[in-house]
Amino acid sequence: MIRTALIVALAAAALPASASAAEPARPEAAAPAAKPKYSTAETDIGTLLDDPAAKAIIDKYIPGMTSNEQIEMARSMTLKAVQTYAPDDVTDERLAQIDADLAKLK
C-alpha cells in the first residue's frame, strides 16, 4: 500500500505543472468559419466578372459563359438565378464546384 502511494506520488511529481493542475485543460474555441467573399447564390454575376480570379473560376466550370454576348444582361443576376434559364449548363454540381473555388479567394 505504501509502495503504491509512493509510486503515485513520484509519478505526479514527474508530470509538468500544467498536467497536474487542478483545472482541466479547456479545448480551444473553434474560430467561426469566415463567410466566403463570393457565392453563386448571393453574389451578382457582374461582381464576379469584375474580379479576374472569380471570372476564371466561372470559365473553368462553365466555359464560354463569360464571353457570351448576352452576359451583360445577366450582370445583376446570380449564377443560381441563371440556373433557371440554363439548367443544362448551370447545374447544382457546377455551382457547388464554383462555390468551393470561390471560397478559396481572399
Side-chain angles (χ1 to χ4, degrees):
M1 200 63 134
I2 294 175
R3 186 177 207 184
T4 304
L6 182 58
I7 293 171
V8 170
L10 289 172
L15 291 174
S18 63
S20 61
E23 189 175 317
R26 296 180 187 171
E28 301 250 348
K35 184 177 178 179
K37 184 176 181 179
Y38 303 128
S39 78
T40 58
E42 296 178 8
T43 309
D44 62 75
I45 292 171
T47 300
L48 297 175
L49 293 176
D50 293 342
D51 182 327
K55 182 179 177 183
I57 292 169
I58 296 170
D59 286 334
K60 177 180 174 183
Y61 294 105
I62 311 173
M65 177 178 225
T66 65
S67 60
N68 185 304
E69 61 188 39
Q70 296 177 335
I71 195 67
E72 290 300 314
M73 294 187 309
R75 285 185 69 87
S76 65
M77 299 175 71
T78 64
L79 284 169
K80 184 67 177 168
V82 169
Q83 185 180 32
T84 304
Y85 304 103
D88 293 337
D89 294 322
V90 187
T91 64
D92 286 337
E93 180 181 354
R94 287 181 179 170
L95 291 178
Q97 292 169 323
I98 292 169
D99 277 331
D101 281 4
L102 289 175
K104 296 174 189 173
L105 298 179
K106 301 291 180 201

